Amino acid sequence: AQSVTQLDSQVPVFEEAPVELRCNYSSSVSVYLFWYVQYPNQGLQLLLKYLSGSTLVKGINGFEAEFNKSQTSFHLRKPSVHISDTAEYFCAVSDRGRNFNKFYFGSGTKLNVKP
Amino acid sequence: ETGVTQTPRHLVMGMTNKKSLKCEQHLGHNAMYWYKQSAKKPLELMFVYSLEERVENNSVPSRFSPECPNSSHLFLHLHTLQPEDSALYLCASSQDPSGTEKTQYFGPGTRLLVL
């Protein structure tokens, strides 16, 4: 089974500053990788995903993530954050080759963008 | 209506009540999932249905009973719950459990409070 680690439970940042949210997973087998965002009192919304191909993935709202197989990481980045990016962000990993796509989620990182 | 919908959005129930949560997906997907999201804990996968057949049950207490009458609808029947069952219950769906499109799409959740 996979384990997903989001080392930072909270990340405070000022508006227009860059941000990186870290995600590491345990297994080196082929995986699919996802980032979701959750705004207060809402469900999870897909930000971006890596299934194959280019290791740099661009998502919605100006976010991007880079898949690093050797470091088993999938860090999320944004060059300039907005107040509206304040939310909780979840990294998820799914093993390839299973007959259904079980997701392993990290414990989440709360991004707090300050004016 | 598009995407994944959940009703009710909020539910307060006593420990002796019986209630049901409903999830409906309008995406033509073949797999549906129930997750529990508690404060300060990673998302917990509860049940998975693939092509209307239950394929995973993660040691969930019997006071939670899922039902999947067709590929578009998923229910979670609740009976004699405990206060520690208070949480956000999220429903998700995905296209093809055996294929390469693994993305799970989430509903807005039902916030459950057990008194």
Side-chain angles (χ1 to χ4, degrees):
Chain A
Q2 288 276 355
S3 69
V4 180
T5 302
Q6 292 182 246
L7 285 172
D8 305 305
S9 60
Q10 296 195 48
V11 173
V13 64
F14 287 105
E15 194 174 17
E16 297 183 7
V19 72
E20 178 180 83
L21 307 184
R22 296 179 292 170
C23 174
N24 288 87
Y25 59 97
S26 59
S27 176
S28 60
V29 299
S30 295
V31 294
Y32 298 112
L33 299 156
F34 304 82
W35 275 99
Y36 287 85
V37 59
Q38 186 177 34
Y39 299 102
N41 300 314
Q42 295 187 27
L44 275 66
Q45 178 183 356
L46 180 69
L47 264 183
L48 49 78
K49 60 186 176 185
Y50 171 79
L51 302 181
S52 64
S54 172
T55 56
L56 182 62
V57 180
K58 293 189 183 299
I60 62 171
N61 302 341
F63 284 93
E64 63 181 32
E66 186 157 18
F67 168 53
N68 188 319
K69 186 175 181 179
S70 62
Q71 297 186 7
T72 59
S73 68
F74 191 54
H75 300 331
L76 182 70
R77 301 185 183 98
K78 186 170 183 178
S80 176
V81 295
H82 300 133
I83 295 287
S84 59
D85 293 323
T86 295
E88 190 159 18
Y89 293 78
F90 293 90
C91 180
V93 175
S94 178
D95 290 335
R96 297 185 187 217
R98 290 182 61 100
N99 60 3
F100 72 92
N101 49 322
K102 183 171 184 175
F103 274 29
Y104 300 88
F105 282 90
S107 53
T109 298
K110 290 185 178 178
L111 178 64
N112 183 15
V113 182
K114 304 176 182 180
Chain B
E1 198 161 2
T2 59
V4 181
T5 58
Q6 291 186 242
T7 55
R9 294 292 311 276
H10 302 273
L11 179 61
V12 180
M13 59 186 291
M15 290 190 285
T16 58
N17 291 157
K18 288 184 182 181
K19 296 287 184 182
S20 295
L21 310 185
K22 178 183 176 182
C23 175
E24 184 172 359
Q25 59 95 1
H26 310 268
L27 301 169
H29 289 169
N30 291 316
M32 297 187 77
Y33 311 77
W34 278 118
Y35 287 89
K36 177 183 179 183
Q37 186 179 32
S38 305
K40 302 185 180 183
K41 293 176 69 174
L43 269 75
E44 301 172 54
L45 179 64
M46 300 175 72
F47 301 103
V48 182
Y49 277 83
S50 174
L51 299 170
E52 301 156 40
E53 182 178 336
R54 190 190 307 182
V55 296
E56 179 129 332
N57 172 1
N58 278 349
S59 302
V60 179
S62 59
R63 57 186 184 268
F64 294 92
S65 174
E67 179 189 1
C68 187
N70 55 63
S71 59
S72 298
H73 295 86
L74 184 65
F75 295 89
L76 188 62
H77 304 299
L78 315 173
H79 176 54
T80 59
L81 295 191
Q82 305 298 311
E84 60 264 30
D85 297 322
S86 299
L88 181 68
Y89 288 85
L90 292 166
C91 174
S93 70
S94 65
Q95 181 180 20
D96 178 0
S98 60
T100 57
E101 178 44 76
K102 302 283 192 182
T103 307
Q104 292 185 17
Y105 295 88
F106 285 80
T110 295
R111 175 71 64 186
L112 174 65
L113 177 62
V114 181
L115 300 177

